[in-house]
Structures are given as structure tokens and as C-alpha cells.
Amino acid sequence: MLTVMLAGFLAVLGIVAVLVYVRNIQNKVVQGYQRESVLVANGQIPAGTNARQAQHSGLLIPKQLPKFSVPDDAIHTISADISTLVTSTPIQPGHLLLRENLVSRSQRTGNLVIPPGRVAVTMEVCQAADVGGYIRPQNYVAVYGAWPTGSTQLEASCSGGHQVPTPSSVFGKLVLPRVYVLSVTTAPPAGSTSAPGTTLASNAAAAQGALYVTLAATPQQAKLLILLNATGLPSFALTTPSSGITADSRTVHF
């Protein structure tokens, strides 16, 4: 009799544990779909725009979004501690205002606003390495690189393929998993005067479709990017918060 009662008690405990687990899962799902107010660009917000003024002028408006879709650094309200900050880059209509989009006015350098603790580094790439031209300011990219082995040289041409002497003479690896894009420019026509913030480059490079992607990197990351630009072939992958790309020291040989 005691054995039967104990078995029944354990069965009840098991059912209760399952019900509690299911209830916890349901609560997490419900919480994820709860809506919270965040600030969204109601129009094009130029770089250098004061956050408080942008809100007062209607360029920043509150919008209710599901909690699961809101990044951790999204701005919910213009509080006193950020009211004097300015936008680091242009913010496109419909984009969320993120904390990293706001910097002090003293951090502006020409047409670029460099986030705290970062330096601006420009990489020259072909359009294919720029995800077909889809990379824009305020995007995040993963930076990949390809290097030759031994005395092999990689001859890059944006108008054609990359010439590799032998299939086994090149290796590639992930250099940086997540870097913020400040600007993307093309070379101006020969003899023209570049606009502020535009990278000057050769007319030949422009004709071949070269693009110049300026990234906000830490000083340590800048060393890697400059080395890659000088010795290898950089390529970018456009990422999202859910891409899940993490640091990886492994290399792949071709």
C-alpha cells in the first residue's frame, strides 16, 4: 500500500513539474511579444543632429514594437544624460535609434562622427566584397580575409576574377566578427573635387567598381584591418543581431 501511495505521489510531482515548466515557457513567450516603446526615425536624420532637437522637431517618434525584436541598446526616451548628444551618422527613416548612434559633438571629425574608443579605418574592396553594394552606413559587417601562402601573390581586379596560380596556395579566415560601418564611398571622376568625407582614389579603381568602406574600429582592430588591406583581400558579410557570428581563429585552405 505504501509503495502504491509513493508511486502516486511521485506521479503527481512529475505532472506538477511539467505544468510549471510549460507555464514558464508560456510566460517567456508572452513576455517576448509584449510591446515596448522605442524611438524611431520619422524621416532622414542628418549626422550631427542633436537628439533632443530631433525629438522636438518630430524626426524621432515613439513606436511600439514586440520586446523580442528590440535590441538591448535601443533608446526608449531622450533622458537628460543623452539630450546633448548628436547622431554619429545619418539615420534612415524607420530605423531604430541606438545608443551607439549618439556621440558627443566633440567626437565629430569632418563629416564622420567616430564612436567613443574607436578610430576610422577605410578598406578598399570590390562591389562583390561589399555584398553587391548593399552595405550602408550604420550596418554591421563581419570582416573576412584571403591571403596567399609562400611567394604566391593574389592579383585582385574588380573588373575580373582574382588570379590564383595554384588552388592550394590561398587561405582565408574570419578577421573580425562584428564592426560598425561609418561610410561607403566611391572614387570621384578624374579632375573632380571630392565632397567632404569622400575618399579620393584613382580613376582606374573607380572604373573597375572599387568601393571604400570606412569602419569604426578599436585601435587593436585597426591593426588587423590595415594589415589585411596591405597583405590580403578583404571581404565583408552583412550581419544582423541574430547572425550569431563569433570570433574564430581557424583558417580554411583552398
Side-chain angles (χ1 to χ4, degrees):
M1 183 68 177
L2 182 61
T3 303
V4 173
M5 292 178 61
L6 181 59
F9 177 72
L10 292 176
V12 171
L13 281 181
I15 293 173
V16 171
V18 170
L19 291 176
V20 170
Y21 175 78
V22 172
R23 176 59 60 87
N24 288 338
I25 295 297
Q26 290 175 336
N27 289 339
K28 290 181 180 179
V29 172
V30 170
Q31 290 174 2
Y33 278 91
Q34 289 177 346
R35 305 180 80 80
E36 59 181 68
S37 179
V38 292
L39 291 177
V40 177
N42 193 36
Q44 175 84 18
I45 302 178
T49 302
N50 175 266
R52 178 71 72 188
Q53 293 175 353
Q55 187 178 41
H56 285 171
S57 63
L59 286 175
L60 282 173
I61 59 172
K63 186 173 182 179
Q64 298 289 327
L65 294 176
K67 187 175 182 178
F68 74 86
S69 67
V70 177
D72 292 337
D73 58 346
I75 299 294
H76 304 273
T77 183
I78 303 299
S79 55
D81 61 321
I82 63 173
S83 61
T84 61
L85 301 181
V86 299
T87 52
S88 59
T89 59
I91 300 179
Q92 303 302 320
H95 282 206
L96 296 178
L97 178 65
L98 304 179
R99 179 59 184 85
E100 62 195 20
N101 296 144
L102 299 177
V103 296
S104 65
R105 192 172 294 277
S106 62
Q107 291 173 253
R108 287 184 56 80
T109 304
N111 273 14
L112 291 177
V113 182
I114 304 174
R118 298 292 191 271
V119 297
V121 179
T122 298
M123 310 288 288
E124 179 180 347
V125 297
C126 299
Q127 192 172 38
D130 187 55
V131 193
Y134 280 99
I135 292 177
R136 296 287 185 270
Q138 302 180 53
N139 288 157
Y140 282 92
V141 295
V143 182
Y144 292 84
W147 283 271
T149 58
S151 60
T152 302
Q153 292 186 352
L154 293 178
E155 299 177 9
S157 172
C158 293
S159 60
H162 303 306
Q163 302 301 316
V164 182
T166 58
S168 61
S169 60
V170 177
F171 71 91
K173 67 176 294 183
L174 172 66
V175 179
L176 295 172
R178 183 173 167 86
V179 189
Y180 186 68
V181 178
L182 291 174
S183 71
V184 181
T185 61
T186 57
S192 67
T193 302
S194 63
T198 300
T199 303
L200 285 171
S202 68
N203 195 43
Q208 292 179 355
L211 295 172
Y212 302 87
V213 181
T214 301
L215 305 173
T218 66
Q220 185 63 34
Q221 290 173 337
K223 296 177 185 179
L224 296 175
L225 294 174
I226 292 170
L227 182 63
L228 170 58
N229 222 21
T231 63
L233 290 178
S235 188
F236 302 128
L238 189 57
T239 68
T240 68
S242 61
S243 293
I245 300 177
T246 57
D248 185 357
S249 59
R250 292 174 297 176
T251 60
V252 176
H253 290 266
F254 294 98

